Amino acid sequence: MDSSKLVLLLSLLYILLFHPSLSAAQQNFSNYDCTSNSVSNYTTNSTYQRNLNSLLSSMASDAQIDYGFYNLSVGEFPDRVNAFALCRGDVAVDVCRSCVNDSTHKILQVCPNKMEAFGVYEFCMIRYSNRSIFGVVDEKPSIYRANRKNVLDETVFNEALQTLFARLQAKAASGNSLKKFASGNQSAGLETVYAIVQCTPDLSEGQCSSCLLELFRLIPNCCNGNVKGKIGVRLITPSCNLRWEIGKFFNGTLEILSPPSLPAPSQGMTLIVINPLPTLILMF
Ligand SMILES: *[C@@H]1O[C@H](CO)[C@@H](O)[C@H](O)[C@H]1NC(C)=O
Ligand SMILES: *[C@@H]1O[C@H](CO)[C@@H](O)[C@H](O)[C@H]1NC(C)=O
Ligand SMILES: *[C@@H]1O[C@H](CO)[C@@H](O)[C@H](O)[C@H]1NC(C)=O
Ligand SMILES: *[C@@H]1O[C@H](CO)[C@@H](O)[C@H](O)[C@H]1NC(C)=O
Ligand SMILES: *[C@@H]1O[C@H](CO)[C@@H](O)[C@H](O)[C@H]1NC(C)=O
Ligand SMILES: *[C@@H]1O[C@H](CO)[C@@H](O)[C@H](O)[C@H]1NC(C)=O
Ligand SMILES: *[C@@H]1O[C@H](CO)[C@@H](O)[C@H](O)[C@H]1NC(C)=O
Ligand SMILES: *[C@@H]1O[C@H](CO)[C@@H](O)[C@H](O)[C@H]1NC(C)=O
């Protein structure tokens, strides 16, 4: 057995042993960032901390919101905390609520005493700041994840991606103030590309469009070539995100009769966090 097969085997074993669903603890974020406001930390028992805790607990216990966008503000300047949690547009309400709940606890663990933080799970993300974050496009921090495998025919694939993305981008941007999300597929020769795009729904149609176009424009040149022509990629910023795979990974209305399986943990994942410091972490 060569070493790459051994690594794969060990990885699978690791996944089997430590799969999050087998443990009661909250999952780890796939990515998080708490360095964007490192000027100062809030102190324990400060007004800012009380506001943040109260906001996060409202978010965690909310039973009204069923469209996947939780945006809240608590307190007054200079201790005002603004936050949102955004669920992926296709996830079920219970999956969303439990993800948001987890994120409200996890963010305090991984970013203790931070004025600002951003945490990303597969099904939801959370962000808080003392700055105003609603109605503004924020492209930092930007997070990239890519499968290492290449598509069969990059030219054909890119054309399909372009066509699909143009459609999805327009559809998501024209969503309402509760949800701006679109999913779809496009045949790419022997492969089929499946993609989702999403903006926080507080953005205007124009803001959402330009955020997504900006993200899409990054593809050819970003991330040391780790994104272009790969079979699975996620590009994530606080304001908008996109993902494609060559297999179906999202829940669509067509699948109600035969629910799709959740995406298997991708093999050969590369994780690149461009901002603030370029790092390369090998996932499995
Ligand atoms: C989360 O990360 C911590 C520290 O890196 C690790 O010890 C723990 O096993 C991880 N938990 C899960 C559920 O993956
Ligand atoms: C904030 O806290 C971190 C540790 O959590 C520490 O490294 C950093 O120096 C602190 N920043 C300031 C300005 O106190
Ligand atoms: C924060 O407040 C709690 C309860 O009032 C108190 O027990 C704790 O010592 C305080 N911690 C700090 C660091 O002031
Ligand atoms: C996909 O849809 C099914 C049926 O509505 C639901 O049970 C399942 O939780 C959904 N998956 C996710 C990740 O939301
Ligand atoms: C939220 O998560 C906490 C800690 O994981 C758990 O104790 C609590 O029951 C959860 N709340 C809801 C409404 O799921
Ligand atoms: C947010 O907090 C940082 C660090 O304490 C501070 O420099 C900045 O002025 C604050 N911004 C607002 C809008 O309160
Ligand atoms: C691709 O999307 C179309 C709708 O645009 C749908 O009818 C079709 O079933 C999808 N194909 C696959 C293989 O998922
Ligand atoms: C939250 O978002 C909704 C819908 O986008 C908007 O109507 C509402 O004003 C926002 N709330 C806050 C506190 O910004």
Side-chain angles (χ1 to χ4, degrees), residues 37-42 110-114:
N37 186 348
S38 50
V39 183
S40 67
N41 300 328
Y42 64 76
V110 300
C111 299
N113 294 78
K114 296 297 177 183

Side-chain angles (χ1 to χ4, degrees), residues 69-85:
F69 182 57
Y70 300 68
N71 56 334
L72 301 170
S73 297
V74 167
E76 296 308 325
F77 178 86
D79 299 306
R80 187 170 178 82
V81 186
N82 305 295
F84 72 74

Side-chain angles (χ1 to χ4, degrees), residues 56 63-64 71 101 119 125 129 134 150 165 179 186 205 222-223 225 232 236 260-261 273:
L56 293 176
Q64 308 296 312
N71 56 334
N101 182 30
M125 60 176 76
S129 177
F134 301 126
N150 294 315
F165 186 78
K179 194 183 273 194
Q186 185 78 27
E205 180 168 0
C222 87
C223 323
I236 303 160
S261 53
V273 181

Side-chain angles (χ1 to χ4, degrees), residues 5 14 17 19 36-37 57 72 74 88 90-91 94 97 105 121 128 152 178 187 221 224 245-246 279:
K5 286 207 180 97
Y14 176 86
L17 285 174
H19 193 276
S36 46
N37 186 348
S57 77
L72 301 170
V74 167
R88 212 173 79 182
D90 61 313
V91 304
D94 56 334
R97 285 188 182 144
H105 296 98
Y121 280 127
Y128 74 78
L152 294 175
L178 303 183
S187 155
N221 297 315
N224 299 321
E245 303 284 346
I246 55 166
T279 46

Side-chain angles (χ1 to χ4, degrees), residues 30-150:
S30 50
N31 302 85
Y32 64 90
D33 182 297
C34 21
T35 58
S36 46
N37 186 348
S38 50
V39 183
S40 67
N41 300 328
Y42 64 76
T43 51
T44 301
N45 290 349
S46 61
T47 309
Y48 193 79
Q49 182 178 45
R50 279 198 300 277
N51 290 342
L52 178 61
N53 286 342
S54 124
L55 184 153
L56 293 176
S57 77
S58 307
M59 213 177 236
S61 59
D62 183 283
Q64 308 296 312
I65 292 169
D66 60 3
Y67 47 86
F69 182 57
Y70 300 68
N71 56 334
L72 301 170
S73 297
V74 167
E76 296 308 325
F77 178 86
D79 299 306
R80 187 170 178 82
V81 186
N82 305 295
F84 72 74
L86 176 71
C87 288
R88 212 173 79 182
D90 61 313
V91 304
V93 173
D94 56 334
V95 175
C96 175
R97 285 188 182 144
S98 130
C99 186
V100 169
N101 182 30
D102 284 355
S103 73
T104 62
H105 296 98
K106 199 49 143 187
I107 199 76
L108 294 177
Q109 285 171 27
V110 300
C111 299
N113 294 78
K114 296 297 177 183
M115 292 298 284
E116 198 165 295
F118 180 46
V120 177
Y121 280 127
E122 168 147 29
F123 295 135
C124 70
M125 60 176 76
I126 189 167
R127 183 183 186 210
Y128 74 78
S129 177
N130 66 332
R131 293 183 295 120
S132 175
I133 56 173
F134 301 126
V136 286
V137 177
D138 245 318
E139 285 162 358
K140 297 281 163 63
S142 33
I143 292 160
Y144 301 80
R145 293 169 70 91
N147 198 299
R148 289 218 194 101
K149 288 200 190 120
N150 294 315

